[in-house]
Amino acid sequence: MRNSRTDDSVIFSLIRTELMPLAHSVHPLDAHAIRELPVRFRTGITYVAAAGKTAKPYGFIHFEKYGPLLYIDMLVTHPHHRNREWGKKLMASCEAYGSTHQCTHAKLFVDDINAKAQRFYTRLGYQAVRYDPELRCFEMVKPLAPPQPQPGI
């Protein structure tokens, strides 16, 4: 789980350097978007990937539950820690949360110019269901399986 006191500076830096440059609706120097980040993180859940509780995060995932929908808002892995399955592990943890909290499907948006992320989500079982030309994003959806009962229970 995210510790705002120790994790937010790294998380917000990752957003500015890795997500905002790909987004058509905001700019990395957009002061309003930067100021809104703490507000955005007050809702939902954020998991971080890190070497320990006090270590700087390698990456993070932020998501919210809306009834049967698990909405994945943001996922970022630091460039020096990519290709080590941190993104895959963060997604698996997020989806496990959704499954255990009666979510039937997960949804996310990925920027049209981010082909690498599109391939990543497709490999995880997400399918593009529509394109939003205003946002220049693909909406991707994946059904979530209900949690499996433990043997002997």
Side-chain angles (χ1 to χ4, degrees), residues 87-116:
K88 188 176 176 181
K89 291 173 186 175
L90 286 165
M91 288 294 290
S93 296
C94 171
E95 291 171 359
Y97 174 93
S99 291
T100 60
H101 288 85
Q102 291 75 46
C103 291
T104 58
H105 58 286
K107 175 171 87 169
L108 55 87
F109 289 89
V110 63
D111 294 291
D112 61 1
I113 62 170
N114 196 346
K116 189 173 182 178

PDB file of all heavy atoms in Angstrom, residues 87-116:
ATOM      1  N   GLY A  87       5.220  -4.388 -13.405  1.00  0.00           N
ATOM      2  CA  GLY A  87       3.901  -3.990 -13.903  1.00  0.00           C
ATOM      3  C   GLY A  87       2.928  -5.147 -13.870  1.00  0.00           C
ATOM      4  O   GLY A  87       1.772  -5.004 -13.460  1.00  0.00           O
ATOM      5  N   LYS A  88       3.383  -6.299 -14.275  1.00  0.00           N
ATOM      6  CA  LYS A  88       2.554  -7.502 -14.267  1.00  0.00           C
ATOM      7  C   LYS A  88       2.135  -7.856 -12.835  1.00  0.00           C
ATOM      8  O   LYS A  88       0.984  -8.215 -12.585  1.00  0.00           O
ATOM      9  CB  LYS A  88       3.335  -8.651 -14.903  1.00  0.00           C
ATOM     10  CG  LYS A  88       2.544  -9.901 -15.139  1.00  0.00           C
ATOM     11  CD  LYS A  88       3.415 -10.921 -15.866  1.00  0.00           C
ATOM     12  CE  LYS A  88       2.684 -12.227 -16.041  1.00  0.00           C
ATOM     13  NZ  LYS A  88       3.527 -13.216 -16.718  1.00  0.00           N
ATOM     14  N   LYS A  89       3.058  -7.753 -11.889  1.00  0.00           N
ATOM     15  CA  LYS A  89       2.752  -8.056 -10.484  1.00  0.00           C
ATOM     16  C   LYS A  89       1.769  -7.036  -9.904  1.00  0.00           C
ATOM     17  O   LYS A  89       0.853  -7.404  -9.156  1.00  0.00           O
ATOM     18  CB  LYS A  89       4.037  -8.099  -9.664  1.00  0.00           C
ATOM     19  CG  LYS A  89       4.915  -9.288  -9.997  1.00  0.00           C
ATOM     20  CD  LYS A  89       6.252  -9.206  -9.277  1.00  0.00           C
ATOM     21  CE  LYS A  89       7.161 -10.329  -9.734  1.00  0.00           C
ATOM     22  NZ  LYS A  89       8.494 -10.231  -9.161  1.00  0.00           N
ATOM     23  N   LEU A  90       1.945  -5.769 -10.243  1.00  0.00           N
ATOM     24  CA  LEU A  90       1.017  -4.741  -9.763  1.00  0.00           C
ATOM     25  C   LEU A  90      -0.382  -4.978 -10.334  1.00  0.00           C
ATOM     26  O   LEU A  90      -1.381  -4.876  -9.616  1.00  0.00           O
ATOM     27  CB  LEU A  90       1.531  -3.344 -10.125  1.00  0.00           C
ATOM     28  CG  LEU A  90       2.713  -2.845  -9.299  1.00  0.00           C
ATOM     29  CD1 LEU A  90       3.359  -1.635  -9.977  1.00  0.00           C
ATOM     30  CD2 LEU A  90       2.278  -2.495  -7.882  1.00  0.00           C
ATOM     31  N   MET A  91      -0.450  -5.310 -11.625  1.00  0.00           N
ATOM     32  CA  MET A  91      -1.750  -5.599 -12.234  1.00  0.00           C
ATOM     33  C   MET A  91      -2.396  -6.822 -11.587  1.00  0.00           C
ATOM     34  O   MET A  91      -3.603  -6.824 -11.318  1.00  0.00           O
ATOM     35  CB  MET A  91      -1.590  -5.822 -13.740  1.00  0.00           C
ATOM     36  CG  MET A  91      -1.304  -4.574 -14.538  1.00  0.00           C
ATOM     37  SD  MET A  91      -2.662  -3.390 -14.555  1.00  0.00           S
ATOM     38  CE  MET A  91      -3.852  -4.265 -15.565  1.00  0.00           C
ATOM     39  N   ALA A  92      -1.615  -7.859 -11.328  1.00  0.00           N
ATOM     40  CA  ALA A  92      -2.160  -9.069 -10.704  1.00  0.00           C
ATOM     41  C   ALA A  92      -2.707  -8.755  -9.315  1.00  0.00           C
ATOM     42  O   ALA A  92      -3.788  -9.238  -8.937  1.00  0.00           O
ATOM     43  CB  ALA A  92      -1.087 -10.159 -10.637  1.00  0.00           C
ATOM     44  N   SER A  93      -2.007  -7.930  -8.551  1.00  0.00           N
ATOM     45  CA  SER A  93      -2.482  -7.553  -7.208  1.00  0.00           C
ATOM     46  C   SER A  93      -3.765  -6.745  -7.293  1.00  0.00           C
ATOM     47  O   SER A  93      -4.703  -6.963  -6.518  1.00  0.00           O
ATOM     48  CB  SER A  93      -1.414  -6.737  -6.480  1.00  0.00           C
ATOM     49  OG  SER A  93      -0.270  -7.513  -6.261  1.00  0.00           O
ATOM     50  N   CYS A  94      -3.818  -5.834  -8.229  1.00  0.00           N
ATOM     51  CA  CYS A  94      -5.006  -5.008  -8.443  1.00  0.00           C
ATOM     52  C   CYS A  94      -6.194  -5.876  -8.840  1.00  0.00           C
ATOM     53  O   CYS A  94      -7.302  -5.756  -8.288  1.00  0.00           O
ATOM     54  CB  CYS A  94      -4.695  -3.972  -9.514  1.00  0.00           C
ATOM     55  SG  CYS A  94      -6.085  -3.019 -10.104  1.00  0.00           S
ATOM     56  N   GLU A  95      -5.991  -6.774  -9.796  1.00  0.00           N
ATOM     57  CA  GLU A  95      -7.072  -7.643 -10.258  1.00  0.00           C
ATOM     58  C   GLU A  95      -7.518  -8.606  -9.153  1.00  0.00           C
ATOM     59  O   GLU A  95      -8.709  -8.908  -9.040  1.00  0.00           O
ATOM     60  CB  GLU A  95      -6.645  -8.406 -11.509  1.00  0.00           C
ATOM     61  CG  GLU A  95      -6.487  -7.511 -12.716  1.00  0.00           C
ATOM     62  CD  GLU A  95      -5.866  -8.213 -13.911  1.00  0.00           C
ATOM     63  OE1 GLU A  95      -5.530  -9.421 -13.810  1.00  0.00           O
ATOM     64  OE2 GLU A  95      -5.712  -7.545 -14.949  1.00  0.00           O
ATOM     65  N   ALA A  96      -6.585  -9.064  -8.335  1.00  0.00           N
ATOM     66  CA  ALA A  96      -6.948  -9.936  -7.209  1.00  0.00           C
ATOM     67  C   ALA A  96      -7.836  -9.172  -6.232  1.00  0.00           C
ATOM     68  O   ALA A  96      -8.819  -9.718  -5.716  1.00  0.00           O
ATOM     69  CB  ALA A  96      -5.691 -10.450  -6.510  1.00  0.00           C
ATOM     70  N   TYR A  97      -7.507  -7.907  -5.994  1.00  0.00           N
ATOM     71  CA  TYR A  97      -8.363  -7.072  -5.150  1.00  0.00           C
ATOM     72  C   TYR A  97      -9.767  -7.002  -5.751  1.00  0.00           C
ATOM     73  O   TYR A  97     -10.765  -7.185  -5.053  1.00  0.00           O
ATOM     74  CB  TYR A  97      -7.773  -5.664  -5.018  1.00  0.00           C
ATOM     75  CG  TYR A  97      -8.692  -4.721  -4.280  1.00  0.00           C
ATOM     76  CD1 TYR A  97      -8.559  -4.545  -2.914  1.00  0.00           C
ATOM     77  CD2 TYR A  97      -9.695  -4.015  -4.947  1.00  0.00           C
ATOM     78  CE1 TYR A  97      -9.420  -3.692  -2.225  1.00  0.00           C
ATOM     79  CE2 TYR A  97     -10.551  -3.180  -4.267  1.00  0.00           C
ATOM     80  CZ  TYR A  97     -10.406  -3.016  -2.908  1.00  0.00           C
ATOM     81  OH  TYR A  97     -11.271  -2.183  -2.234  1.00  0.00           O
ATOM     82  N   GLY A  98      -9.843  -6.732  -7.040  1.00  0.00           N
ATOM     83  CA  GLY A  98     -11.143  -6.633  -7.701  1.00  0.00           C
ATOM     84  C   GLY A  98     -11.936  -7.924  -7.605  1.00  0.00           C
ATOM     85  O   GLY A  98     -13.133  -7.911  -7.300  1.00  0.00           O
ATOM     86  N   SER A  99     -11.284  -9.048  -7.835  1.00  0.00           N
ATOM     87  CA  SER A  99     -11.972 -10.341  -7.768  1.00  0.00           C
ATOM     88  C   SER A  99     -12.518 -10.618  -6.376  1.00  0.00           C
ATOM     89  O   SER A  99     -13.637 -11.098  -6.225  1.00  0.00           O
ATOM     90  CB  SER A  99     -11.023 -11.468  -8.181  1.00  0.00           C
ATOM     91  OG  SER A  99     -10.738 -11.390  -9.550  1.00  0.00           O
ATOM     92  N   THR A 100     -11.722 -10.323  -5.357  1.00  0.00           N
ATOM     93  CA  THR A 100     -12.179 -10.589  -3.986  1.00  0.00           C
ATOM     94  C   THR A 100     -13.213  -9.586  -3.499  1.00  0.00           C
ATOM     95  O   THR A 100     -13.848  -9.803  -2.482  1.00  0.00           O
ATOM     96  CB  THR A 100     -11.000 -10.637  -2.994  1.00  0.00           C
ATOM     97  OG1 THR A 100     -10.321  -9.389  -3.023  1.00  0.00           O
ATOM     98  CG2 THR A 100     -10.053 -11.769  -3.323  1.00  0.00           C
ATOM     99  N   HIS A 101     -13.377  -8.495  -4.240  1.00  0.00           N
ATOM    100  CA  HIS A 101     -14.374  -7.479  -3.878  1.00  0.00           C
ATOM    101  C   HIS A 101     -15.525  -7.441  -4.887  1.00  0.00           C
ATOM    102  O   HIS A 101     -16.114  -6.399  -5.132  1.00  0.00           O
ATOM    103  CB  HIS A 101     -13.711  -6.109  -3.733  1.00  0.00           C
ATOM    104  CG  HIS A 101     -12.875  -6.012  -2.496  1.00  0.00           C
ATOM    105  ND1 HIS A 101     -11.567  -6.439  -2.464  1.00  0.00           N
ATOM    106  CD2 HIS A 101     -13.163  -5.566  -1.246  1.00  0.00           C
ATOM    107  CE1 HIS A 101     -11.091  -6.251  -1.252  1.00  0.00           C
ATOM    108  NE2 HIS A 101     -12.034  -5.730  -0.496  1.00  0.00           N
ATOM    109  N   GLN A 102     -15.827  -8.587  -5.481  1.00  0.00           N
ATOM    110  CA  GLN A 102     -16.972  -8.809  -6.362  1.00  0.00           C
ATOM    111  C   GLN A 102     -16.976  -7.965  -7.632  1.00  0.00           C
ATOM    112  O   GLN A 102     -18.040  -7.663  -8.184  1.00  0.00           O
ATOM    113  CB  GLN A 102     -18.303  -8.618  -5.608  1.00  0.00           C
ATOM    114  CG  GLN A 102     -18.608  -9.675  -4.562  1.00  0.00           C
ATOM    115  CD  GLN A 102     -17.775  -9.527  -3.294  1.00  0.00           C
ATOM    116  OE1 GLN A 102     -17.642  -8.446  -2.769  1.00  0.00           O
ATOM    117  NE2 GLN A 102     -17.197 -10.626  -2.839  1.00  0.00           N
ATOM    118  N   CYS A 103     -15.824  -7.591  -8.131  1.00  0.00           N
ATOM    119  CA  CYS A 103     -15.757  -6.917  -9.426  1.00  0.00           C
ATOM    120  C   CYS A 103     -15.839  -7.980 -10.521  1.00  0.00           C
ATOM    121  O   CYS A 103     -15.180  -9.013 -10.430  1.00  0.00           O
ATOM    122  CB  CYS A 103     -14.468  -6.117  -9.571  1.00  0.00           C
ATOM    123  SG  CYS A 103     -14.379  -4.683  -8.487  1.00  0.00           S
ATOM    124  N   THR A 104     -16.639  -7.712 -11.525  1.00  0.00           N
ATOM    125  CA  THR A 104     -16.803  -8.670 -12.617  1.00  0.00           C
ATOM    126  C   THR A 104     -15.897  -8.354 -13.806  1.00  0.00           C
ATOM    127  O   THR A 104     -15.652  -9.226 -14.630  1.00  0.00           O
ATOM    128  CB  THR A 104     -18.265  -8.700 -13.097  1.00  0.00           C
ATOM    129  OG1 THR A 104     -18.639  -7.376 -13.513  1.00  0.00           O
ATOM    130  CG2 THR A 104     -19.192  -9.191 -11.995  1.00  0.00           C
ATOM    131  N   HIS A 105     -15.438  -7.108 -13.890  1.00  0.00           N
ATOM    132  CA  HIS A 105     -14.547  -6.741 -14.987  1.00  0.00           C
ATOM    133  C   HIS A 105     -13.682  -5.550 -14.595  1.00  0.00           C
ATOM    134  O   HIS A 105     -14.018  -4.806 -13.677  1.00  0.00           O
ATOM    135  CB  HIS A 105     -15.327  -6.456 -16.272  1.00  0.00           C
ATOM    136  CG  HIS A 105     -16.337  -5.363 -16.139  1.00  0.00           C
ATOM    137  ND1 HIS A 105     -17.524  -5.512 -15.464  1.00  0.00           N
ATOM    138  CD2 HIS A 105     -16.328  -4.096 -16.596  1.00  0.00           C
ATOM    139  CE1 HIS A 105     -18.202  -4.371 -15.506  1.00  0.00           C
ATOM    140  NE2 HIS A 105     -17.502  -3.510 -16.191  1.00  0.00           N
ATOM    141  N   ALA A 106     -12.555  -5.434 -15.287  1.00  0.00           N
ATOM    142  CA  ALA A 106     -11.626  -4.325 -15.086  1.00  0.00           C
ATOM    143  C   ALA A 106     -11.588  -3.502 -16.353  1.00  0.00           C
ATOM    144  O   ALA A 106     -11.741  -4.029 -17.459  1.00  0.00           O
ATOM    145  CB  ALA A 106     -10.233  -4.853 -14.752  1.00  0.00           C
ATOM    146  N   LYS A 107     -11.398  -2.193 -16.180  1.00  0.00           N
ATOM    147  CA  LYS A 107     -11.357  -1.281 -17.327  1.00  0.00           C
ATOM    148  C   LYS A 107     -10.223  -0.285 -17.126  1.00  0.00           C
ATOM    149  O   LYS A 107      -9.917   0.125 -16.007  1.00  0.00           O
ATOM    150  CB  LYS A 107     -12.691  -0.542 -17.437  1.00  0.00           C
ATOM    151  CG  LYS A 107     -12.713   0.519 -18.534  1.00  0.00           C
ATOM    152  CD  LYS A 107     -14.100   1.066 -18.769  1.00  0.00           C
ATOM    153  CE  LYS A 107     -14.428   2.200 -17.855  1.00  0.00           C
ATOM    154  NZ  LYS A 107     -15.664   2.895 -18.261  1.00  0.00           N
ATOM    155  N   LEU A 108      -9.610   0.100 -18.237  1.00  0.00           N
ATOM    156  CA  LEU A 108      -8.564   1.109 -18.215  1.00  0.00           C
ATOM    157  C   LEU A 108      -8.559   1.829 -19.555  1.00  0.00           C
ATOM    158  O   LEU A 108      -9.189   1.384 -20.516  1.00  0.00           O
ATOM    159  CB  LEU A 108      -7.200   0.469 -17.932  1.00  0.00           C
ATOM    160  CG  LEU A 108      -6.733  -0.663 -18.843  1.00  0.00           C
ATOM    161  CD1 LEU A 108      -5.998  -0.132 -20.062  1.00  0.00           C
ATOM    162  CD2 LEU A 108      -5.858  -1.616 -18.078  1.00  0.00           C
ATOM    163  N   PHE A 109      -7.867   2.937 -19.591  1.00  0.00           N
ATOM    164  CA  PHE A 109      -7.669   3.686 -20.828  1.00  0.00           C
ATOM    165  C   PHE A 109      -6.175   3.760 -21.083  1.00  0.00           C
ATOM    166  O   PHE A 109      -5.385   3.949 -20.162  1.00  0.00           O
ATOM    167  CB  PHE A 109      -8.243   5.106 -20.724  1.00  0.00           C
ATOM    168  CG  PHE A 109      -9.737   5.148 -20.712  1.00  0.00           C
ATOM    169  CD1 PHE A 109     -10.441   5.054 -19.523  1.00  0.00           C
ATOM    170  CD2 PHE A 109     -10.445   5.265 -21.903  1.00  0.00           C
ATOM    171  CE1 PHE A 109     -11.822   5.072 -19.507  1.00  0.00           C
ATOM    172  CE2 PHE A 109     -11.831   5.286 -21.900  1.00  0.00           C
ATOM    173  CZ  PHE A 109     -12.520   5.192 -20.700  1.00  0.00           C
ATOM    174  N   VAL A 110      -5.791   3.599 -22.354  1.00  0.00           N
ATOM    175  CA  VAL A 110      -4.385   3.693 -22.725  1.00  0.00           C
ATOM    176  C   VAL A 110      -4.269   4.625 -23.925  1.00  0.00           C
ATOM    177  O   VAL A 110      -5.073   4.567 -24.857  1.00  0.00           O
ATOM    178  CB  VAL A 110      -3.778   2.293 -22.990  1.00  0.00           C
ATOM    179  CG1 VAL A 110      -4.462   1.614 -24.154  1.00  0.00           C
ATOM    180  CG2 VAL A 110      -2.286   2.367 -23.206  1.00  0.00           C
ATOM    181  N   ASP A 111      -3.282   5.509 -23.859  1.00  0.00           N
ATOM    182  CA  ASP A 111      -3.091   6.493 -24.921  1.00  0.00           C
ATOM    183  C   ASP A 111      -2.782   5.811 -26.247  1.00  0.00           C
ATOM    184  O   ASP A 111      -2.069   4.808 -26.300  1.00  0.00           O
ATOM    185  CB  ASP A 111      -1.951   7.448 -24.552  1.00  0.00           C
ATOM    186  CG  ASP A 111      -2.308   8.306 -23.359  1.00  0.00           C
ATOM    187  OD1 ASP A 111      -3.181   9.171 -23.511  1.00  0.00           O
ATOM    188  OD2 ASP A 111      -1.725   8.085 -22.279  1.00  0.00           O
ATOM    189  N   ASP A 112      -3.318   6.379 -27.317  1.00  0.00           N
ATOM    190  CA  ASP A 112      -3.163   5.763 -28.643  1.00  0.00           C
ATOM    191  C   ASP A 112      -1.709   5.687 -29.103  1.00  0.00           C
ATOM    192  O   ASP A 112      -1.347   4.804 -29.872  1.00  0.00           O
ATOM    193  CB  ASP A 112      -4.046   6.451 -29.683  1.00  0.00           C
ATOM    194  CG  ASP A 112      -3.744   7.925 -29.887  1.00  0.00           C
ATOM    195  OD1 ASP A 112      -2.822   8.482 -29.234  1.00  0.00           O
ATOM    196  OD2 ASP A 112      -4.447   8.548 -30.698  1.00  0.00           O
ATOM    197  N   ILE A 113      -0.860   6.584 -28.631  1.00  0.00           N
ATOM    198  CA  ILE A 113       0.542   6.564 -29.049  1.00  0.00           C
ATOM    199  C   ILE A 113       1.396   5.618 -28.198  1.00  0.00           C
ATOM    200  O   ILE A 113       2.568   5.433 -28.485  1.00  0.00           O
ATOM    201  CB  ILE A 113       1.163   7.979 -29.043  1.00  0.00           C
ATOM    202  CG1 ILE A 113       1.159   8.575 -27.647  1.00  0.00           C
ATOM    203  CG2 ILE A 113       0.470   8.873 -30.044  1.00  0.00           C
ATOM    204  CD1 ILE A 113       1.967   9.862 -27.530  1.00  0.00           C
ATOM    205  N   ASN A 114       0.804   5.011 -27.174  1.00  0.00           N
ATOM    206  CA  ASN A 114       1.550   4.140 -26.280  1.00  0.00           C
ATOM    207  C   ASN A 114       1.361   2.670 -26.683  1.00  0.00           C
ATOM    208  O   ASN A 114       0.709   1.890 -25.990  1.00  0.00           O
ATOM    209  CB  ASN A 114       1.116   4.385 -24.830  1.00  0.00           C
ATOM    210  CG  ASN A 114       2.092   3.808 -23.829  1.00  0.00           C
ATOM    211  OD1 ASN A 114       2.946   3.015 -24.173  1.00  0.00           O
ATOM    212  ND2 ASN A 114       1.936   4.214 -22.580  1.00  0.00           N
ATOM    213  N   ALA A 115       1.962   2.310 -27.809  1.00  0.00           N
ATOM    214  CA  ALA A 115       1.822   0.950 -28.348  1.00  0.00           C
ATOM    215  C   ALA A 115       2.386  -0.099 -27.401  1.00  0.00           C
ATOM    216  O   ALA A 115       1.844  -1.207 -27.301  1.00  0.00           O
ATOM    217  CB  ALA A 115       2.504   0.859 -29.707  1.00  0.00           C
ATOM    218  N   LYS A 116       3.446   0.223 -26.689  1.00  0.00           N
ATOM    219  CA  LYS A 116       4.042  -0.735 -25.750  1.00  0.00           C
ATOM    220  C   LYS A 116       3.055  -1.085 -24.640  1.00  0.00           C
ATOM    221  O   LYS A 116       2.895  -2.254 -24.287  1.00  0.00           O
ATOM    222  CB  LYS A 116       5.338  -0.171 -25.170  1.00  0.00           C
ATOM    223  CG  LYS A 116       6.126  -1.158 -24.372  1.00  0.00           C
ATOM    224  CD  LYS A 116       7.473  -0.599 -23.979  1.00  0.00           C
ATOM    225  CE  LYS A 116       8.266  -1.636 -23.203  1.00  0.00           C
ATOM    226  NZ  LYS A 116       9.589  -1.159 -22.835  1.00  0.00           N
TER     227      LYS A 116
END
